[in-house]
Amino acid sequence: MELVTVEDIRAAAGRIEPVVVRTPLVPVGDLLVKPESLQRVGSFKIRGAYNAVARLRPAGVVTHSSGNHGQALAYAAASFGVPCVVVVPEGTPRVKTDAIRRHGAELVVVPPDRRLAAAAEVAAGRGLTLVPPYDHPDVIAGQGTIGLEILADLPDVEVVAVPVSGGGLVSGIAAAVKALRPRAAVIGVEPELAADAAESLAAGRLITWEPARTFRTSADGLRAELSELTFAHLCAHVDAVVTVTEDEIRAAMRHLATAGRLVAEPSGAVATAARLSGKLPRGLTVAVLSGGNVDPALLREVLQTADQE
């Protein structure tokens, strides 16, 4: 299987430069955090979505998404003046569905186990180009630009911790980091309640978890399963995948808000959670904060818990 290369990632960086925020490395205690929550759509997803639309130049697009990729693709489609349809599972946070509509996309809500099939049906029925949230080389290359930025700002980085869902983010970052600094460890992080990537790496084969199992985690952006393409990238480039508990995710959200003044959704906090819970290797570490599109009521609940402790 052909993997994304650092040359692909560098080409993507040129395409997305007009719209992507060059996020800094923010010190939070002894950890450096890469806050992709500062992107104009609130997550890293703008990188891959915009790169795909910019390179493919489709007449219209459709995707399935837990929310953040849908926002990003809607924004990218609007930038190029083409229609966009986003299929989301029931239970997607309103903060994300409202943003998808705000960027001009049509929203289709389906049961969780229907999202992939429904997106494929829309693509076939309306003649739209399917731009999946992770299972596409252009998407992976766009996400990999985060790795280029980390290495430009911190050439001697020793550990890069990255949230894992469908695997597009960690695939792209790992491809960049391992090409330019092979000694650095790239560690994927996922919730214990959606740990298909950790199980797949341990077994040496792709293992999928059904939606009824992964939907137990509050990290709604990390419920997708790996694809053959992203699993191949993980096997080639990722040193390990570790898991964190729901309590550890919430503690990391509080820590980022109070110590770093950074808002993280549960999915965005898992890399920091792994560091705080001692699950990462020692060394100069960057944790990717992948998104900040958190439901306001959940954020309030998490912060109120901190006041009570």
Side-chain angles (χ1 to χ4, degrees), residues 43-274:
S43 83
F44 74 95
K45 291 287 191 177
I46 187 61
R47 296 174 183 265
Y50 194 90
N51 183 53
V53 176
R55 199 188 75 79
L56 298 172
R57 297 300 176 102
V61 292
V62 60
T63 195
H64 58 89
S65 172
S66 59
N68 283 341
H69 176 69
Q71 292 183 59
L73 190 65
Y75 178 91
S79 299
F80 286 91
V82 299
C84 177
V85 179
V86 180
V87 178
V88 300
E90 295 168 347
T92 299
R94 183 173 175 180
V95 66
K96 296 182 178 182
T97 56
D98 285 352
I100 290 168
R101 290 191 177 100
R102 190 164 59 247
H103 290 303
E106 177 185 343
L107 191 72
V108 177
V109 181
V110 299
D113 59 357
R114 281 278 302 151
R115 54 181 269 185
L116 275 71
E121 290 165 5
V122 171
R126 304 195 196 181
L128 302 178
T129 297
L130 179 64
V131 181
Y134 50 86
D135 189 27
H136 194 288
D138 291 331
V139 173
I140 291 172
Q143 321 306 25
T145 59
I146 295 172
L148 296 183
E149 292 177 9
I150 290 171
L151 291 170
D153 291 346
L154 193 68
D156 55 346
V157 64
E158 295 172 286
V159 181
V160 180
V162 187
V164 179
S165 182
L169 177 62
V170 73
S171 293
I173 291 176
V177 170
K178 290 299 185 178
L180 301 175
R181 185 168 167 78
R183 290 178 296 169
V186 179
I187 309 297
V189 187
E190 61 185 349
E192 282 187 354
L193 299 182
D196 59 295
E199 186 174 345
S200 295
L201 278 186
R205 60 184 176 86
L206 191 59
I207 295 173
T208 60
W209 287 23
E210 66 276 8
R213 194 174 179 189
T214 60
F215 267 64
R216 298 172 300 160
T217 180
S218 63
D220 58 279
L222 303 183
R223 294 168 176 164
E225 59 193 40
L226 298 175
S227 68
E228 295 286 353
L229 178 61
T230 57
F231 182 57
H233 281 81
L234 265 68
C235 290
H237 300 310
V238 174
D239 294 275
V241 176
V242 301
T243 64
V244 291
T245 68
E246 296 298 299
D247 287 343
E248 288 166 345
I249 292 170
R250 286 179 170 240
M253 291 174 65
R254 290 194 294 271
H255 181 72
L256 286 164
T258 56
R261 281 113 6 232
L262 296 170
V263 172
E265 61 188 277
S267 305
V270 297
T272 299

